[in-house]
Amino acid sequence: MTSLLRDRILPVLTVIAAILVIWHVFVIYLNAPFVRDQAARAGTTVTLSEIIPQTFNQERPILPAPHQIIAELWDTTVAKPVTSKRSLVYHAWITLSATLMGFGMGTVLGIALAVGIVHNRAMDKSLMPWVIASQTIPILAVAPMIIVVLNSIGISGLLPKALISTYLSFFPVVVGMVKGLRSPDTLLIDLMHTYNASNSQTFWKLRWPAAMPYLFTSLKVAIAISLVGAIVGELPTGAVAGLGARLLSGSYYGQTIQIWAALFMAAGLAAVLVSIVGAAHGLVLKRMGVKP
């Protein structure tokens, strides 16, 4: 217990404390000019002791204080019904549905491409460079084109956002699985050949089990980046629902507290999704007989 406290809990708490201290300092620094401007317009002067409390309670601060974000999160998650369009839970579900759909399609596509690249030399030489080059195009440039093209042929709603998530999430799966499927030692592959094993037997009994750690590591990256893709996909459409829509409306009306609350909700959702993938990884390794 003492070792757990010293090696894991204490370092995390120290980093969090340092972040909070720096955050509070910047709240005062960034929000103080507005307080001074208000005082100058009213023809009064304010001291530092008067400025500090006001910087933590502005309606539209440049940088919201932590307690303001916590209050907004509480109001939009606990105090609002989950079916309300003002509830962050409602908006998170809209984004989550596109995230999971895109993640599923990206995983299937990534594994299929990786299998083809490993087993086909032509695909390895021609497709792999294109896979890498595809990620050099900023998603903010690709997303509007995908949305507009699909809308022009009558496809809207969940699928366009899911395709953007797919575009982002398939890449780490491809790279990870290619590395994983090629990870078995040459001696082990030669041993399978001495057993007269077919390509499919070599794949399922050697390559696939060896690739599991690489796959789940890639899935952790893919599920998080898939969430980013779903949020980005909501921005160019002027969507009225989803975490991207909350960010967009907050930007339109200068509601910085709403923006930060949506960002924290997205971060929390990503953490939960990555944790679920990590738990699945542990279960799979346990079933494979790997000792923790």
Side-chain angles (χ1 to χ4, degrees), residues 146-180:
I146 295 175
I147 298 295
V148 171
V149 170
L150 292 179
N151 279 337
S152 66
I153 59 176
I155 300 175
S156 59
L158 182 64
L159 185 58
K161 293 190 294 182
L163 287 177
I164 295 170
S165 294
T166 302
Y167 173 80
L168 289 177
S169 63
F170 90 99
F171 176 72
V173 178
V174 172
V175 174
M177 282 300 289
V178 168
K179 182 69 174 177

Side-chain angles (χ1 to χ4, degrees), residues 132-208:
I132 296 172
S134 69
Q135 301 303 303
T136 63
I137 306 173
I139 188 60
L140 289 175
V142 175
M145 291 187 290
I146 295 175
I147 298 295
V148 171
V149 170
L150 292 179
N151 279 337
S152 66
I153 59 176
I155 300 175
S156 59
L158 182 64
L159 185 58
K161 293 190 294 182
L163 287 177
I164 295 170
S165 294
T166 302
Y167 173 80
L168 289 177
S169 63
F170 90 99
F171 176 72
V173 178
V174 172
V175 174
M177 282 300 289
V178 168
K179 182 69 174 177
L181 293 173
R182 287 175 172 168
S183 63
D185 192 86
T186 305
L187 291 176
L188 295 177
I189 297 176
D190 290 340
L191 181 62
M192 294 297 290
H193 289 162
T194 63
Y195 293 157
N196 197 30
S198 64
N199 287 335
S200 62
Q201 289 175 323
T202 302
F203 176 81
W204 291 111
K205 297 182 183 297
L206 179 60
R207 292 188 184 274
W208 183 259

Side-chain angles (χ1 to χ4, degrees), residues 7 32-33 41 43 59 62 95 99 119 130 200 202 216 256 280 282 290 292:
D7 297 338
R41 291 176 184 177
E59 183 178 353
I62 294 177
T95 301
T99 298
H119 288 87
W130 282 101
S200 62
T202 302
F216 280 96
T256 51
V290 178

Side-chain angles (χ1 to χ4, degrees), residues 67-80:
H67 74 273
Q68 292 178 300
I69 298 173
I70 294 172
E72 177 70 13
L73 284 170
W74 179 270
D75 181 58
T76 53
T77 55
V78 179
K80 294 285 190 304

